[in-house]
Amino acid sequence: MRFSLPPSSEITPEGVYLNRRRFLATAGLIGAGLVGTGSIHALPPRDEAQPKPLGKPYGLQPGDTPTSWEDVTGYNNFYEFGTGKEDPAEHAQGFRTTPWTVRIDGLVEKPGTYALEDFLKPSVVEDRIYRMRCVEGWSMVIPWRGIMLADVIKRAKPTSKAAFVELTTLMDPAQMPGQRYPVLDWPYVEGLRLDEAMHPLTLLATGVYGRELPPQNGAPLRLVVPWKYGFKGIKSIVRIRLVERMPRSSWMQAIPSEYGFYANVNPAVDHPRWSQATERRIGSFRRIPTLPFNGYADQVASLYAGMDLRKNY
Ligand code: MTE
C-alpha cells in the first residue's frame, strides 16, 4: 500500500517551503554542508530536544518507560502525509492548525461549531502516560496531554437515540498530499460505541510530552483510546457526530476482512496476516507479550461482557 509522494516543493505551501529552505540554509544544512555560521544556534538546546515526560502513569507495567520524544514524534502513521513511518514528520511540517474549528452534531440537543479554544476551554486538561499498541505489532509508552472525550459529549447533551460516536479528520488535499491518492476513502473516519467514548480513559489529546501536539501526531486534536489498536486514534479531528448506528470506519471500508469496528487489543485473536501475541517496544529490540485490552482489562473488560471478542474484533 505504499505510494510515493511528489517532491516537497510541490506538496508544501510555497511560503512554508521557502521558509524551510531559508531555515535549512541558515542552519548551514544546504549547499555548504555544515559550514554555516548559524548551525549551532539553529539547534534547540538539549533539554528542549528531549523534553521530560509529564503526567500520571495509567496502567503501566513493570519495565514500561516512556518512549523517547524522537520516536514518539518521528515514527508515525498518518497516511494523509504519506505511508512511510518518517513521512508524517517530514511532510506535515507547516500544516496549519490555526484557526481550527470543531463541529459536534448529530443526535445531540446542543449541536455547535466551535473555535478549538472555546471547544476545549471549560475542560480540565490532564497529563497522562498511556501504553499504546499499533495493530502492526509495535508499541510505545506515550505521555499525552488532553481532555476527556466524555466531557465534550456531555456538554452537547446526546439524545436517547445516540448510541455511537463518529469522528472525522480534516479533508484538505492541498495541505494533506496523501489525500490526493486513493489509499483510503478520505477523509479518515473512526467510531466508538457511546459507552467507549464516555469511558474516563478515552482522551481527546491536544499535546504530548507537555507540549502542543506536533502536526505528525495529529495536531491540533486527536483521539487516544489506550485499550484499542492505534488506528482508532484518529488525528486532526474536525467533526464529532453522535449517531444511532455503528459508523463505518475508513479501515473497515478499506479492508473489511482485516479490520473490525472494535479493534480491542487482543493477543488471542490474530490479525489474518500475522500474530498479535507479542509486540516490539519502539526504542528497544525486545518483544514483549501483548496484554488483553493492552493492559487496561480491569478498567474496560466489563464494557464487552457477554460479547464474543473473536467475532467482534
Ligand atoms: N489518523 C488519521 N487521520 N490518519 C491516519 O493515517 N493513522 C492511525 C492513527 N490515526 C492515522 C490516524 C494509526 S494506524 C496509528 S498507529 C496512530 O494514528 C499513530 O499515532 P502516532 O503517530 O501519534 O503514534
Side-chain angles (χ1 to χ4, degrees), residues 48-266:
E48 283 282 299
Q50 187 58 257
K52 293 229 170 2
L54 288 182
K56 184 168 169 241
Y58 277 74
L60 300 195
Q61 302 291 320
D64 280 348
T65 52
T67 303
S68 75
W69 164 261
E70 282 78 11
D71 284 333
V72 170
T73 62
Y75 189 90
N76 303 101
N77 276 334
F78 199 170
Y79 280 18
E80 284 83 340
F81 294 103
T83 54
K85 298 289 180 245
E86 288 162 18
D87 285 339
E90 184 182 348
H91 299 294
Q93 297 317 312
F95 177 61
R96 286 187 302 276
T97 55
T98 46
W100 193 271
T101 52
V102 184
R103 174 146 187 88
I104 182 156
D105 64 357
L107 301 172
V108 293
E109 285 171 28
K110 292 175 65 184
T113 303
Y114 300 88
L116 181 65
E117 311 77 79
D118 300 329
F119 181 74
L120 298 173
K121 214 182 287 160
S123 301
V124 178
V125 177
E126 291 178 62
D127 288 299
R128 298 182 178 187
I129 307 179
Y130 282 172
R131 324 176 87 223
M132 303 300 296
R133 169 68 154 79
C134 178
V135 74
E136 294 163 345
W138 47 270
S139 63
M140 298 195 191
V141 174
I142 303 187
W144 296 111
R145 167 168 288 184
I147 64 172
M148 286 196 276
L149 175 59
D151 210 36
V152 303
I153 293 178
K154 270 188 218 147
R155 280 205 295 277
K157 298 199 186 310
T159 67
S160 57
K161 276 196 170 161
F164 293 90
V165 181
E166 179 193 82
L167 303 104
T168 309
T169 294
L170 177 71
M171 182 72 187
D172 186 356
Q175 285 207 84
M176 295 173 142
Q179 289 181 337
R180 296 180 217 153
Y181 301 78
V183 181
L184 288 171
D185 193 10
W186 311 110
Y188 199 99
V189 170
E190 258 307 338
L192 295 171
R193 219 170 52 192
L194 186 56
D195 57 346
E196 299 176 320
M198 298 301 286
H199 194 280
L201 282 172
T202 303
L203 295 182
L204 278 178
T206 57
V208 68
Y209 265 91
R211 299 181 171 186
E212 266 180 31
L213 280 178
Q216 61 269 34
N217 291 89
L221 192 69
R222 60 87 54 84
L223 182 69
V224 174
V225 192
W227 71 93
K228 293 180 181 283
Y229 291 116
F231 67 87
K232 297 299 281 185
I234 179 171
K235 297 177 168 181
S236 305
I237 296 166
V238 291
R239 187 175 183 196
I240 299 173
R241 189 162 72 109
L242 282 281
V243 294
E244 193 172 355
R245 289 166 191 253
M246 182 183 283
R248 196 165 170 76
S249 70
S250 296
W251 284 106
M252 291 164 76
Q253 176 83 25
I255 323 180
S257 57
E258 299 189 5
Y259 301 105
F261 177 77
Y262 286 95
N264 291 320
V265 174
N266 190 342

Side-chain angles (χ1 to χ4, degrees), residues 257-279:
S257 57
E258 299 189 5
Y259 301 105
F261 177 77
Y262 286 95
N264 291 320
V265 174
N266 190 342
V269 177
D270 289 342
H271 183 277
R273 289 184 282 137
W274 58 83
S275 160
Q276 292 290 19
T278 64
E279 64 204 55

